[in-house]
Amino acid sequence: MRLPPQPGEAIDRTTAFTFTWDGRSYPAYAGDTIASALAAAGVRVFSRSLKYHRPRGLLTADFHDPGCLVQVGDEPNVRAAHRRVEPGMTVRPQAVWPSLRWDVKSANQLVGKALTAGFYYKTFIKPRPLWPAYERVLRRFSPGGEVPAEPPDGRYDQRYAHPDVLVAGGGPAGLAAALAAAEAGLQVLLVDEQHELGGHLLWGDDGDRAALRDLRGAVAAADGIEVLTDAVVTGRYDGGRVVVLQRSAPGVVERLVKARPRVLVAAPGLIERPYVVAGNDLPGVLLSTAARRLVNRYAVRPGQRAVVLTANNSGDAAVGDLTRAGVDVRRVLDARRGDDVVRVRGRRGVRAVECSDGSTVACDLLVTAVGWTAPTSLLTMAGGRSRYLASAARFVPADLPDDVLAAGGIVGDGSTADLVAHGRAVGHEAARRARGLPPAHVADLEPGPHPELFHGRSNGIVDLAEDVSADDLRAAVAEGYDSIELVKRYTTATMGPTQGKLEAVNTIAVVAAATGRSIEETGTTTGRPPYVPVSLGVLAGRRYQPVRRSPMHTWHVEHGATPLVAGAWIRPDHYGDPAGEVCAVRQGVGIIDVTPLGKLALHGPDVADLLELLYVNRWRKLAVGSVRYGVMCTEDGVVLDDGVTGRLGEDRYLMTTTSSGATTVEHWVERWLQTERPHWQVHLVPMTDAYASINVAGPRSRELVGRLTDIDLAPEAFPYMRVRLGRVAGVADCVVWRIGFTGELSFELHVPAAFGQRVWEALLEVGADLGVRPFGVEAQRILRLEKGHLIVGQDTDGLTQAYGAGLDWAVKLDKDDFVGKPELAWQRARDDYLVLVGLQPVDPAVVPPESCQIIEDGQRIVGRVTSSRMSPTLDRAVCLGLVAARLSEPGTTVTVLLPDGRRVPVLVMPQLAHVDPEGVRLRG
Amino acid sequence: MMLLTCPHCGARDAGEFDYVGERRDRPDVSRATEQEWRGYLYLRGNRADWTAELWHHRAGCERFLTVVRHLGTDEVRG
Ligand SMILES: [Zn+2]
């Protein structure tokens, strides 16, 4: 029920709206969480528990509440007690069938004995073939939401931050620490999990609110404090990196902030611990902080009649808040005087509480305040430890590294003024350390006395998210799982959505009691990042991967090119008729955009030595004005890349690489220069984007290019494998080389990128009468396959050494040294490798798909088809393939296994080239 | 992520670098036995101890640098 306005309420009563829950409309105010609006409307059951399908309501009324994971639209596992409700929001309960009210699976409650400790392992382990069926059943019973099949709307983002000090936690100590560090002139990132700064002061009394007003005012006025609310530190990693998940960042669904503070201040406060007693998971059992939040922040009266079990001032304050809210507090059980709850009665919610004095009090609310858990996982991730302090009934931080400090409640207890004073002292010290000063000791805040209250005399639920009871833990211990880490894995306690925040210490306490050891001896489980669940979307972040387009890209799009994604590049695959494009090149002339070819300018007196080292073939005698095809191998002799490199001047070369190998080769060259030959004078400049590259191919290519350039293209003036510099279509500083990847007479033009489209269009315009056609990557692949030119990475793989790629002619073992030389020398003496050969299916109409296996004796794999196409020039299928060396003799018939199971005979050809093996055409 | 100090760019996140591998000397190709050469290619110390490694500041100055790192603790010697 909604109370009249409260002095510290978070809701804005001037903005009212409705949303739907489980198909029905409910009212809400701006500032409500989903759960607070529903609780105000009297909703008590939010979910069904994991194993027993028991009804679950609010417990902590904050982000970590295990009982109210809901589905919002297509977003699963939303924390209903944290997420603010929005107008028109569609909220549904998760995994309840047929409805939240009549969940048939709650029959599990009756057969609960079958679902005790280790039930996943015992029930579903055998017989193994039934696992798929088990998985389907388990999935129906698990309370996870529905993951949408489509990518979610909205963006996820990532950001880097470099604060001097990062303060995790915006309660009184964290606010004071941030202020002290900022006053020292440092940049501070202040992160808090709640929607507003203030920590527990937000639901406190008048004095708390006054103190909070002052602190928030000071933070707002301070220079150098960036505040992230609704944001959680999810982990601390090597090198002091702190990752923050920011939920309410403007414009994005979630943002991951990767911060590298000099000093981390952890001021997370304390998490209230549930009490383990029979019925402790019934709707109506609330923690004292939850009751105070509901009353003071959301003006919600959580029940009519209450019993309060209190062991501390939070419970005492809850009594006051509940009374003021009109709740009839029927009994206050003071655990400091030995009072206790024996069990909670009820089926769909609390109906009565049995007290330790033998009385039973009818009520619909049990509020417990039995102690605190210090969330030390961030500190242990940073290399610190946690130490159990029996007098305070909680773990406290110990042995922190110098760049991590803890402030406030996680360290000890005190008044708001004490917490602020401690925060200030820690913030001041953090500023000193961020400046590199030697660490000084900060006086600790002493933890006050607190009774050790973990579990009562009856069997209650320890892990409310995973539905693990105290008896389950005891059973696991009895079965021999006596280490806390084993109990955790066997029972799944602390492994659910709450990840130990509520239940870890109770788990330890139950296991300690069952094993007869102390809590200290039992120890803690290891807290690992992330502290809270992180969506896959935010881990992926927004992709800023650049897409690369050639200067002629727009032209290709406008002329009907079918795009092909080739690494980062978008290339024209074809313009509608790849076979026609092939014929145009063979019979007339075609032009292709080969801008993605890797291009590296090499300058300096030692370039020839570099080429001699990195290529398997010879380079020393390459004359100015000549180009040569080169093959690079790695040190294991495996083919790395190939391409044409030309000598443009005395000490000036242009190297081309494959499109996909451009970056690899650039790094490869740099690595050899920097690490193995640092004394060589070679300067490398990547030029891939600086030139637009156009290959003009076909018997009429000389005629076409000749119309646009002053370079003498006559065969004797510009022979095959030469380079010339000059103007093309009026564009100066073009590099033109005569090569023949397609097997035809061809000229490759490298023109300054800004003029790429101009030259491209000029070629098409002046060549119209020659029938010039643009051709795409597909036609180029057919042309080069007809010619038998290999593609590194397609016709070779990570094991193909140079001799296996049919590059015998290129490898010069008589050179003193080159990369991969010893391995290639040894390879030549062997015959245990696959060799690249030309292949033609005996049936010319059969084109075996690429990657088809070549087999022997019906099944043994002896090779594979690496490239295959129907050749428009020969009107038959042509292939390249890797086969066992002993089968590589020309005229051998091998067997190719087709995907449909057919086996077809294929002939090994005398050479790789299917068209013009003598190379007459390209030398013309 | 670790911080690595690039001599050109200063302390940077390890994500900016490519790990190339343990530093090792290239045998003399004219004399190397198969065993020596394969050791150079494939055998790594991988000891939980101080190890000289080659890293490449790919997203920075593109320099290759030697990093002396303790493989047990990830400490880096300056
Ligand atoms: Zn650098």
Side-chain angles (χ1 to χ4, degrees):
Chain A
M1 195 201 93
R2 191 75 81 174
L3 298 166
Q6 302 295 306
E9 69 184 22
I11 52 174
D12 171 10
R13 296 188 190 238
T14 64
T15 309
F17 51 82
T18 61
F19 69 107
T20 63
W21 160 249
D22 206 5
R24 274 190 246 170
S25 181
Y26 287 86
Y29 292 122
D32 259 323
T33 65
I34 294 166
S36 72
L38 292 174
V43 173
R44 300 200 97 192
V45 179
F46 290 82
S47 67
R48 292 278 172 163
S49 68
L50 175 72
K51 279 194 291 183
Y52 306 123
H53 286 263
R54 290 166 61 88
R56 290 283 166 77
L58 287 174
L59 175 73
T60 71
D62 69 356
F63 183 86
H64 303 291
D65 202 315
C68 48
L69 263 59
V70 299
Q71 178 101 19
V72 173
D74 63 1
E75 183 183 359
N77 301 323
V78 172
R79 308 289 179 118
H82 175 82
R83 175 71 59 89
R84 280 180 166 162
V85 68
E86 289 165 21
M89 199 179 237
T90 305
V91 186
R92 284 176 294 141
Q94 292 189 166
V96 283
W97 184 81
S99 76
L100 192 59
R101 195 169 165 76
W102 301 110
D103 186 334
V104 293
K105 286 171 284 184
S106 63
N108 280 357
Q109 290 183 61
L110 306 176
V111 294
K113 288 240 177 300
L115 295 174
T116 51
F119 94 106
Y120 290 107
Y121 304 102
K122 288 172 181 165
T123 314
F124 298 107
I125 201 77
K126 285 172 182 170
R128 200 163 278 280
L130 279 180
W131 250 106
Y134 290 156
E135 284 187 326
R136 275 198 298 278
V137 172
L138 284 173
R139 209 171 290 142
R140 296 247 330 245
F141 275 65
S142 84
E146 288 165 36
V147 179
E150 296 299 312
D153 290 338
R155 283 197 166 131
Y156 293 83
D157 211 351
Q158 297 196 348
R159 172 197 157 188
Y160 291 85
H162 301 273
D164 297 311
V165 176
L166 190 149
V167 180
L175 290 166
L179 281 167
E183 282 162 15
L186 298 186
Q187 295 293 316
V188 180
L189 189 62
L190 173 61
V191 177
D192 193 84
E193 185 175 47
Q194 300 191 80
H195 297 280
E196 286 178 50
L197 292 175
H200 67 271
L201 300 182
L202 286 169
W203 58 84
D205 59 21
D206 291 343
D208 293 335
R209 278 193 300 278
L212 178 54
R213 248 188 325 271
D214 293 346
L215 286 165
R216 293 215 313 208
V219 165
D223 280 336
I225 303 180
E226 182 184 358
V227 176
L228 303 181
T229 52
D230 195 11
V232 194
V233 173
T234 67
R236 184 183 184 274
Y237 300 84
D238 291 345
R241 171 178 274 190
V242 176
V243 174
V244 179
L245 176 67
Q246 190 186 0
R247 296 202 181 84
S248 309
V252 292
V253 181
E254 285 180 349
R255 173 176 290 154
L256 205 65
V257 182
K258 296 173 181 174
R260 181 94 67 177
R262 292 178 198 279
V263 178
L264 169 65
V265 175
L270 293 168
I271 294 174
E272 192 168 22
R273 210 161 52 216
Y275 192 45
V276 180
V277 69
N280 67 333
D281 63 329
L282 284 168
V285 176
L286 279 182
L287 304 185
S288 68
T289 44
R292 302 195 69 199
R293 255 187 218 106
L294 288 171
V295 171
N296 296 330
R297 292 292 284 162
Y298 301 107
V300 170
R301 192 170 78 192
Q304 309 285 331
R305 293 181 302 278
V307 171
V308 179
L309 172 65
T310 173
N312 54 43
N313 55 14
S314 177
D316 301 344
V319 173
D321 287 341
L322 290 168
T323 306
R324 200 167 42 74
V327 178
D328 176 10
V329 179
R330 307 285 295 267
R331 180 75 63 87
V332 177
L333 300 168
D334 193 330
R336 291 160 295 198
R337 293 199 308 257
D339 297 345
D340 198 358
V341 167
V342 175
R343 76 175 61 238
V344 190
R345 293 192 173 281
R347 274 187 65 81
R348 304 176 49 75
V350 175
R351 293 182 62 181
V353 171
E354 284 180 31
C355 307
S356 53
D357 62 2
S359 63
T360 296
V361 181
C363 59
D364 59 357
L365 197 60
L366 169 65
V367 173
T368 67
V370 297
W372 308 99
T373 295
T376 53
S377 62
L378 180 60
L379 300 171
T380 51
M381 285 175 213
R385 284 191 317 114
S386 63
R387 178 170 60 85
Y388 185 67
L389 199 63
S391 64
R394 67 179 196 246
F395 286 85
V396 292
D399 300 339
L400 301 182
D402 287 347
D403 56 353
V404 179
L405 292 155
I410 192 173
V411 178
D413 298 315
S415 64
T416 302
D418 295 336
L419 295 170
V420 168
H422 188 249
R424 287 203 74 90
V426 168
H428 178 74
E429 175 61 14
R432 287 185 66 256
R433 294 190 192 181
R435 289 220 163 90
L437 297 171
H441 181 70
V442 181
D444 269 348
L445 198 60
E446 287 301 319
H450 197 288
E452 288 183 283
L453 281 169
F454 305 103
H455 52 94
R457 280 161 268 181
S458 53
N459 179 37
I461 303 289
V462 177
D463 184 333
L464 288 110
E466 289 288 292
D467 241 3
V468 179
S469 72
D471 279 354
D472 291 335
L473 298 174
R474 293 180 189 116
V477 171
E479 289 180 43
Y481 296 93
D482 55 353
S483 124
I484 188 69
E485 293 283 2
L486 290 177
V487 170
K488 164 184 165 179
R489 284 159 179 76
Y490 188 54
T491 63
T492 72
T494 75
M495 290 171 70
T498 43
Q499 287 285 296
K501 291 168 192 68
L502 303 174
E503 71 281 9
V505 178
N506 285 340
T507 302
I508 294 163
V510 171
V511 170
T515 56
R517 292 190 296 241
S518 68
I519 287 177
E520 187 88 272
E521 288 164 338
T522 304
T524 57
T525 56
T526 309
R528 296 184 182 86
Y531 177 74
V532 292
V534 176
S535 69
L536 293 176
V538 80
L539 288 178
R542 209 192 299 188
R543 300 275 293 178
Y544 287 104
Q545 198 90 25
V547 173
R548 304 177 80 182
R549 299 184 178 95
S550 91
M552 292 82 92
H553 177 80
T554 312
W555 189 95
H556 303 318
V557 172
E558 286 169 356
H559 291 78
T562 298
L564 172 78
V565 178
W569 290 93
I570 310 291
R571 305 191 61 182
D573 192 25
H574 56 80
Y575 301 85
D577 176 19
E581 293 164 22
V582 168
C583 294
V585 172
R586 291 272 181 246
Q587 289 156 20
V589 60
I591 63 173
I592 179 170
D593 180 355
V594 291
T595 300
L597 274 178
K599 295 172 280 278
L600 301 172
L602 297 166
H603 298 256
D606 297 317
V607 174
D609 287 338
L610 174 78
L611 301 177
E612 199 82 358
L613 177 68
L614 296 186
Y615 283 122
V616 300
N617 50 327
R618 226 186 285 285
W619 290 85
R620 198 97 56 197
K621 289 178 184 159
L622 185 73
V624 174
S626 284
V627 303
R628 186 167 287 176
Y629 170 77
V631 176
M632 288 185 193
C633 291
T634 45
E635 286 279 58
D636 53 7
V638 170
V639 178
L640 172 70
D641 202 77
D642 67 351
V644 168
T645 290
R647 189 171 187 184
L648 309 184
E650 186 57 31
D651 290 341
R652 188 177 158 219
Y653 293 72
L654 184 65
M655 173 186 279
T656 63
T657 74
T658 61
S659 305
S660 55
T663 308
T664 307
V665 172
E666 181 198 332
H667 293 163
W668 183 245
V669 174
E670 278 288 358
R671 179 176 153 197
W672 280 89
L673 284 172
Q674 290 181 35
T675 65
E676 296 290 338
R677 300 291 187 271
H679 53 284
W680 278 357
Q681 294 181 50
V682 176
H683 195 71
L684 178 155
V685 184
M687 299 290 281
T688 303
D689 300 313
Y691 285 119
S693 302
I694 303 166
N695 192 289
V696 186
R700 307 193 77 170
S701 57
R702 179 179 286 120
E703 199 177 343
L704 172 56
V705 178
R707 293 177 182 179
L708 289 173
T709 184
D710 48 10
I711 300 169
D712 185 354
L713 302 183
E716 56 281 4
F718 193 169
Y720 182 55
M721 297 307 269
R722 295 292 193 280
V723 57
R724 297 291 179 262
L725 306 176
R727 284 180 173 274
V728 178
V731 178
D733 299 322
C734 295
V735 178
V736 180
W737 50 40
R738 213 192 124 182
I739 53 171
F741 189 52
T742 57
E744 294 298 328
L745 172 69
S746 66
F747 296 87
E748 194 156 281
L749 317 177
H750 303 290
V751 310
F755 299 100
Q757 183 157 340
R758 169 176 166 164
V759 174
W760 178 265
E761 288 180 324
L763 286 163
L764 291 168
E765 197 182 310
V766 305
D769 60 312
L770 305 176
V772 62
R773 270 179 81 163
F775 65 104
V777 173
E778 174 60 16
Q780 188 191 39
R781 285 191 173 161
I782 297 170
L783 288 159
R784 70 90 204 172
L785 175 57
E786 289 177 342
K787 180 60 189 167
H789 284 147
L790 67 89
I791 294 179
V792 176
Q794 166 147 350
D795 300 302
T796 69
D797 61 27
L799 294 173
T800 309
Q801 295 173 305
Y803 286 105
L807 294 166
D808 315 36
W809 58 272
V811 182
K812 300 298 179 198
L813 289 177
D814 54 346
K815 290 204 292 185
D816 287 344
D817 187 10
F818 62 85
V819 178
K821 177 182 170 185
E823 285 294 346
L824 293 177
W826 296 321
Q827 189 198 12
R828 197 173 57 159
R830 301 192 319 259
D831 64 355
D832 58 346
Y833 51 88
L834 301 180
V835 182
L836 190 68
V837 294
L839 296 169
Q840 290 190 357
V842 172
D843 179 346
V846 171
V847 182
E850 287 167 357
S851 298
C852 277
Q853 304 293 353
I854 297 168
I855 58 170
E856 192 177 51
D857 297 339
Q859 56 174 17
R860 199 168 62 251
I861 295 168
V862 290
R864 67 171 197 280
V865 174
T866 58
S867 294
S868 61
R869 289 290 189 281
M870 178 56 73
S871 161
T873 309
L874 303 175
D875 198 24
R876 74 163 347 278
V878 294
C879 313
L880 289 175
L882 286 164
V883 294
R886 63 191 159 77
L887 298 172
S888 63
E889 277 304 305
T892 309
T893 302
V894 296
T895 304
V896 169
L897 177 63
L898 298 182
D900 63 8
R902 275 188 300 151
R903 290 158 165 79
V904 295
V906 172
L907 195 64
V908 176
M909 305 301 289
Q911 65 277 312
L912 297 174
H914 301 276
V915 171
D916 187 28
E918 299 78 26
V920 175
R921 300 170 72 93
L922 51 77
R923 286 188 171 79
Chain B
M1 289 292 247
M2 287 185 302
L3 274 183
L4 293 179
T5 302
C6 170
H8 304 269
C9 311
R12 297 297 185 95
D13 191 290
E16 291 188 11
F17 298 79
D18 280 340
Y19 171 73
V20 180
E22 286 180 17
R23 278 224 78 137
R24 51 198 199 277
D25 293 326
R26 187 169 188 252
D28 179 346
V29 294
S30 63
R31 290 201 203 98
T33 64
E34 285 192 38
Q35 200 176 357
E36 284 164 357
W37 190 258
R38 302 271 157 80
Y40 157 68
L41 286 181
Y42 305 120
L43 298 184
R44 302 291 177 268
N46 199 29
R47 284 181 301 274
D49 199 350
W50 291 103
T51 303
E53 300 172 324
L54 192 62
W55 289 72
H56 176 217
H57 197 187
R58 173 185 39 77
C61 62
E62 295 243 32
R63 303 309 290 177
F64 286 81
L65 49 137
T66 298
V67 172
V68 180
R69 181 171 68 108
H70 193 289
L71 301 194
T73 64
D74 270 350
E75 286 170 273
V76 173
R77 267 185 197 156

